[in-house]
Amino acid sequence: MTPAAKKRITRALILFFVLSLIPLVSWLGWNPAAATISEWKKALDLWSGILLGGAMLALVASALRLPAVEKFMGGMPESYRFHRFLGIATAGLLAFHWWMPRKIVETVVALGFAEAPVRKAREAAEGFDFIGWLGHDVAWLGWLMFALIAVALFGKFIRQTRWVQIHRLFAPVALIGAAHGIAGVPDGFLMGLGWWATVAIALLTVAVVVLEFRMTNLRVSGKVLAEEMVTDADKSLTLSAALHRPVEPGEFVCLSLDKSEHPHPFTVASVDAPAADGTQTFTVIVRALGEYSTKIVREPVAGRTVVLEGPYGEFLRNPDATKPQVWVAGGIGVTPFLAMMKAAKALPGTRLVWSTRGSETKLAEMVRRAALESDVELTIIDSAKGQRLGKTHHLAQYTAGGAEVHCCGPEGLVKAAAEGLGKLGIRPLVEHFAWR
């Protein structure tokens, strides 16, 4: 994460925490020292609820892949990393909201600092009291949230489509949580600052969830025009579709050849200008990694209908023209740079350092040709020949002169490159997919 993005996020978190204290103090009548233990218990319940509601809202919003969110976070990988952090934070705040106010009160009473609060029995309502149930009897919702967060954090061995289906249950759970926040506000606190804060968070949560489902419905049908094996494990697919906006180099689309399979992300390797009717032809390169991508690579798919979602991503969107540009790619991570070169969008003097296994493949030929035509200086590090980035080839050789470095590839390579560049005082802009 860039220092600027880290500073923005830190300021936003501190600001939200400070603002959440205002309704807490208002609930205590602006005089916390004079508040009773019962008032403190209610205030802590509602304050922890606001913190939890804010975390849930940010958690759902950070999953939308909105360009504004990505820019604020400093890139798509950082956005997803922060999304994961918010999941952990939500679990912690849920535990705090559920248990800590009561435990704090019990501790204060046990230490003799206050008398035990007198519990008032809830008045029995005629028939089923939906508001009372929603405001108080939702322990099942808490356990469901814990389960969903656990699956999201530790469900790497679940098939991705099933994992996504389970993961998306968090949206309606967030809505129920927002309704619980409003229904659980005691009568004495209605129309206060805390009530308005709870309502605001609830309404924003509704808006974000509606936007999430609306974005899912932006999926369109396309067609696989052609396919070609470019390495033993990689297949190039030429696609045609009319997305909601044209695809640009550096972006990725999510695609599925099976309606029962959730769309998977693939970075575009080349893009053509859209036709008059909005239809655009572009290519992606699929590597046989998981069960689904292996199926695409091994089976013929030309002529089939494909479901597409996107485009997404801000990678390579705004390079600093005042600095030398160095692209570092690992394996199939060369695709966004290939798209930039084919679109003639590489800045003068750009250098591409590509670590791959096998330098005599069709993919390598495509990269060489594109680099030659776009005047990009190309260095291929072939691991099949015993060459290694960081051992036989060091990034210090290519990053002199205050270069701006963009890095895309497997998580291990990206992490190693970032650590090596960090020692040189360079913070790379990275792109890699680590969805789970």
Side-chain angles (χ1 to χ4, degrees), residues 88-423:
I88 298 172
T90 297
L93 288 170
L94 174 59
F96 180 85
H97 176 63
W98 202 345
W99 288 299
M100 289 309 294
R102 175 167 51 85
K103 290 298 182 182
I104 291 174
V105 170
E106 290 176 354
T107 301
V108 171
V109 171
L111 293 175
F113 293 114
E115 296 182 0
V118 178
R119 292 189 176 183
K120 296 181 180 179
R122 284 164 51 189
E123 297 181 3
E126 296 183 5
F128 177 63
D129 182 9
F130 177 76
I131 299 299
W133 170 81
L134 185 61
H136 302 281
D137 304 324
V138 287
W140 61 272
L141 181 64
W143 288 115
L144 178 57
M145 287 176 63
F146 278 130
L148 291 176
I149 293 172
V151 169
L153 294 175
F154 307 109
K156 290 187 177 181
F157 300 104
I158 301 175
R159 190 180 180 190
Q160 179 165 326
T161 294
R162 186 67 59 199
W163 179 86
V164 171
Q165 290 171 343
I166 296 173
H167 199 59
R168 291 190 65 195
L169 289 175
F170 198 87
V173 168
L175 289 179
I176 298 174
H180 162 71
I182 296 176
V185 176
D187 293 341
F189 294 147
L190 291 177
M191 305 308 291
L193 286 176
W195 185 85
W196 284 110
T198 304
V199 170
I201 290 174
L203 291 177
L204 285 172
T205 302
V206 172
V208 168
V209 171
V210 169
L211 180 60
E212 179 180 0
F213 282 101
R214 183 177 180 275
M215 291 180 66
T216 302
N217 291 329
L218 290 177
R219 293 175 184 169
V220 301
S221 294
K223 191 171 184 179
V224 182
L225 299 180
E227 59 183 333
E228 179 185 19
M229 293 298 298
V230 293
T231 73
D232 291 340
D234 301 307
K235 177 187 282 189
S236 173
L237 301 181
T238 302
L239 308 171
S240 177
L243 297 169
H244 71 278
R245 69 169 177 82
V247 190
E248 296 182 13
E251 296 184 326
F252 68 93
V253 296
C254 296
L255 70 86
S256 173
L257 289 161
D258 186 345
K259 290 185 178 180
S260 64
E261 188 75 22
H262 186 80
H264 292 231
F266 299 98
T267 304
V268 296
S270 68
V271 296
D272 292 344
D277 62 355
T279 303
Q280 187 178 23
T281 300
F282 52 94
T283 64
V284 299
I285 299 179
V286 180
R287 168 157 289 185
L289 291 175
E291 177 184 349
Y292 184 65
S293 57
T294 300
K295 182 179 179 182
I296 294 176
V297 171
R298 301 306 177 201
E299 296 181 1
V301 296
R304 289 181 56 179
T305 299
V306 62
V307 176
L308 292 162
E309 178 187 320
Y312 302 112
E314 292 282 321
F315 191 55
L316 299 172
R317 181 64 59 83
N318 297 303
D320 188 344
T322 65
K323 296 181 179 180
Q325 296 295 301
V326 177
W327 298 341
V328 179
I332 202 65
V334 76
T335 49
F337 306 119
L338 180 58
M340 290 291 286
M341 291 188 294
K342 286 189 172 184
K345 289 193 174 184
L347 294 175
T350 297
R351 176 191 287 270
L352 171 59
V353 181
W354 180 32
S355 176
T356 185
R357 184 171 184 81
S359 56
E360 303 303 327
T361 62
K362 288 184 179 180
L363 178 59
E365 292 177 11
M366 294 165 58
V367 173
R368 285 194 187 94
R369 189 182 311 115
L372 181 62
E373 294 174 353
S374 60
D375 198 25
V376 169
E377 187 174 349
L378 173 64
T379 299
I380 298 181
I381 303 173
D382 189 352
S383 61
K385 297 178 180 179
Q387 300 171 355
R388 292 289 187 277
L389 182 62
K391 294 184 178 180
T392 60
H393 295 70
H394 297 278
L395 288 173
Q397 300 173 232
Y398 315 110
T399 54
E404 181 178 75
V405 181
H406 300 261
C407 186
C408 181
E411 188 172 5
L413 179 138
V414 169
K415 184 177 180 181
E419 290 176 355
L421 290 166
K423 295 177 181 178

